[in-house]
Each structure stands twice: as C-alpha cells, then as structure tokens.
Amino acid sequence: MKLVANFVEKPWGRCDLPDWAGCPAGLKAPIGELWFTAPDGAALPLLVKYLFTSERLSVQVHPDDAQGRARGLPGGKSECWYIIDAAPGATLGIGLRRALDAQQLRAAAQDGSIEREMMWHPVAPGDFFFIPAGTIHAVGAGIMLVEIQQNVDVTYRLYDYGRARALHLDDGAAVSRAVPYDMGQAVRALEGGVMEQSLVRCPIFTVLRARDADSLRAQLGQQPVWIIPLAGMAMAGGDCATVGECLYLDSPASLRLSPDAIILAAAQGSH
C-alpha cells in the first residue's frame, strides 16, 4: 500500500522544500518533517520520514528496547539516516570526541560545552549513518535526509542551544553511551559509488540501497518491506511511488522498479 504523507511544522524546518516533497499549496510555516503513515492509521513497527533542516536540531539520545520498556514504553528507538542533500559545510553531530561519565555528560549539557564535546561529521548526498539507541546525536543545519527508525515516540533532549524547550537530563544521561561514534556503522557516498549496497543489518532492521527488484527479493525473502524511491518509480499491485513517497508491502514479491529507479528498502530485523 502507498503510505500517507504527513507534513510536520518545526521551528528549525524550511519553507523552500523541493518540488518532489509535494508540500500543500499555501503552507507558510517551516516544514521540518514529512512522515509516512498507514492510510487506516495502524501503527507500523518502523517509521519512515524525511527531515528538512535550516538550523541545528537539539542534542538528543534515545533508549534501547530494554530501557524503553523499563520506562513503560513499547520499546526503544534506533534509527538511521540517508543524506539526500547537504549544503556546503553541513554536518551531523554523532557521538563524542572522548568518553564521558554520566556526571561529566550532565555538566557538559548544562554549561553548553557539549557542543564542543560532540563529533561533527561533514556530510554529502549518499552518506548513510546507523544511529543505535544510546548514541548521542544532533542533525545539523542545511540537510535533507531520509530517516528510518523504530516507531516509538521517545526522545531525551540533552541540549537545545538555549531554546525554550524542556530538557531530559536524568533520563538522557541514564541511557546514553557517551563515547565516540564507531564509523564502521557509516557508509560514505564516495565508497565506490555503488548503488546496490547493504547499508545496515542488525536485529532492529535491515536497510538496503537497491535498483533491482529480483536482487532485493533474494536478500529480503518474503518479509514486509518499506520502499523509499530515491530516483525513478517503484510499483506494486495498483500502487506506485516516486521520489518523496513511500510504499509498504507485505512482501517484496510484487515489487517492480522502473529502469532508472534507485530505492531504499527497509525491513525489520537482520536478513
């Protein structure tokens, strides 16, 4: 089925969305997120969305499944980012320059030095980063990206550049792995320019970049799959999706791709 696009206003969002985003006419508030949800409102286990940033997002962290359930949530939130566009000098904050204990992390969040403690990674279109639960992170300004995440609404803000929003220092420090980021969990666009690639395989989800439906079926079997076109068109049954849209299929068996298609495909678990 074709998922429904939901535009979400954010103060750090943008008014100059690309044409493919299909932003409703006359909308003047900055749009920060474009979420895809089931037409009947059913909660799917993964959430796909686009982010559009004109400012840095807060420094934040998410719990893992065990930590989330201990707090009365259905689970935790691991996520991943695929960069669609990035302004010159755009960066993502992922991990820290050095390991901090919980007390040091709280102090850095309170006095603002966490900005200097963060590792800010330059990014380019085609870069991919897996952000396991517990990773301290912040999306920088001037970026458009696809985010694939566990569909659990839990975010602990550690620092927000003086904005008047609540912080969650106790929970955030408790669930953080305040260490440098493992760059083995990233895939850089310049790594051979390969279009067919496994981006992440972990117990939470598998994400592939693909352009051949048969290859995709061979790798994912009959599992439900989310299809996000990066170029061209994806088709299944009577539904189709182009850039800026998303399909959810009970299995990839019926998937067809146009000759120019490049897609992200996501499924639960490691395949």
Side-chain angles (χ1 to χ4, degrees), residues 14 52-56 85-88 90 140-144:
R14 298 169 60 161
F52 310 96
T53 71
S54 63
E55 302 174 11
R56 280 183 179 176
D85 190 40
I143 291 174
M144 297 184 191

Side-chain angles (χ1 to χ4, degrees), residues 18 30-31 52 60 67 88 92 101 109-110 124 148 163 167 169 191 199 210 217 219 222 224 231 234 243 259 265 268:
I31 298 297
F52 310 96
Q60 55 189 242
Q67 293 165 336
L92 296 173
D101 62 28
Q110 289 172 322
I148 300 166
R163 299 177 184 131
L167 300 179
L169 296 184
E191 293 176 2
L199 300 176
R217 282 187 281 271
Q219 295 187 67
Q222 298 302 311
V243 180
Q268 280 189 283

